[in-house]
Amino acid sequence: MVDTRDLATLAVDIAREAGALARRRRTEGVAIAATKSALADIVTEADREVEDLVRDRIAAARPNDGFLGEESGAERGTSGLTWVVDPIDGTVNYAYGIPHYAVSIAVVEGEPHPEDWDALVGVVFSPAVDELFRAERGGGAWLGESRLAVSDPTDAGALLATGFGYDPATHAGDLARLARIMPVARDIRRAGAASLDLAFVAAGRLDGYVERGLQPWDHAAGALLVREAGGVVGGLPGEAPSRAMTIAASSALHATLSERVFHES
């Protein structure tokens, strides 16, 4: 039997330590280490240093667990558990000094693929504002001592978040998708950190979130937050969130957004 409380405590401690390192490195100045899928898709030296810290802390405390990180790839363990980590989600914000980035840590059971795993713990920590969102399977989603709950849109429409890929070839499709959901939107936010968008859906700060192109570490922790706050997270119709699509909202709004996202006429 997996003790999710102990896992959550460890994840929170590691996220706070990692966030403190990221914030300290931000004040010292950011060095760009490399680009990834496109020139705009960057990696900072801090991304790598923070992920190394997280990996080292996990290895010391739970040497049999697996690890899936944005910067260092996948490493299978023998325990059946995998830690899915985005060391600095919102790297472009981070590099530009925009105080909207997060350390995202999830612990999942099963194969290290979103369609095959069962998320046990999710932690999203925003160092710039010292907010830590956490969830355990079956234990709800929390910000401090406040239990989180997804919201339903008012008559003014839904406050929605989205994002756009770094590859210019995908932008036309992203904009067309945005046009299809605008009729149900009160307004759109594009803040640049998927884990925080999902955490904000869980907290009722956003009504819904739609984005194509997310990697597993982008949504692993945030998706559990949304589900434990009473919401729905999915991807293509009937599937788990994936690079093809991620949609998060209350049940009713999720159905509405899915219909608009996948109905192109």
Side-chain angles (χ1 to χ4, degrees):
M1 187 72 175
V2 178
D3 189 334
T4 58
R5 181 66 57 86
D6 286 348
L7 289 171
T9 298
L10 179 59
V12 166
D13 289 346
I14 294 172
R16 286 198 176 278
E17 186 177 356
L21 174 59
R23 186 170 184 176
R24 187 165 67 250
R25 290 292 181 261
R26 175 58 259 183
T27 64
E28 295 167 353
V30 174
I32 306 303
T35 59
K36 293 183 282 188
S37 61
L39 284 176
D41 191 6
I42 61 173
V43 182
T44 69
E45 293 289 358
D47 283 278
R48 294 175 173 174
E49 187 178 1
V50 172
E51 183 162 311
D52 286 345
L53 181 151
V54 173
R55 180 190 279 272
D56 289 347
R57 297 297 183 272
I58 294 167
R62 298 188 57 89
N64 296 322
D65 291 353
F67 187 89
L68 175 60
E70 179 175 15
E71 308 308 334
S72 57
E75 180 179 302
R76 286 184 176 273
T78 58
S79 68
L81 302 182
T82 300
W83 293 69
V84 185
V85 174
D86 193 340
I88 302 178
D89 181 32
T91 302
V92 173
N93 286 349
Y94 182 78
Y96 273 74
I98 298 171
H100 190 78
Y101 60 90
V103 178
S104 177
I105 300 176
V107 187
V108 303
E109 188 173 32
E111 291 298 308
H113 309 288
E115 61 272 18
D116 299 321
W117 73 39
D118 185 10
L120 304 179
V121 168
V123 173
V124 175
F125 178 46
S126 177
V129 294
D130 194 28
E131 285 193 328
L132 189 140
F133 302 84
R134 71 188 192 281
E136 296 175 42
R137 182 180 63 183
W142 300 82
L143 174 59
E145 299 303 313
S146 299
R147 186 159 186 166
L148 305 181
V150 297
S151 59
D152 285 307
T154 68
D155 291 342
L159 183 60
L160 303 176
T162 192
F164 305 105
Y166 292 108
D167 182 356
T170 66
H171 291 169
D174 292 336
L175 290 169
R177 190 177 304 109
L178 180 60
R180 294 199 296 275
I181 65 175
M182 279 302 296
V184 300
R186 176 186 192 135
D187 205 347
I188 298 292
R189 297 290 180 265
R190 193 270 185 262
S195 63
L196 287 173
D197 285 337
L198 289 163
F200 284 13
V201 172
R205 297 176 180 178
L206 294 167
D207 296 312
Y209 169 65
V210 176
E211 186 165 352
R212 178 206 54 78
L214 296 190
Q215 298 283 2
W217 45 80
D218 293 318
H219 60 72
L224 182 63
L225 287 166
V226 172
R227 292 185 179 114
E228 287 296 326
V232 176
V233 186
L236 296 173
E239 297 184 12
S242 67
R243 291 196 70 182
M245 183 55 58
T246 299
I247 302 173
S250 67
S251 179
L253 180 57
H254 187 278
T256 298
L257 292 174
S258 295
E259 172 65 23
R260 289 184 170 272
V261 164
F262 298 114
H263 184 69
E264 299 186 12
S265 61

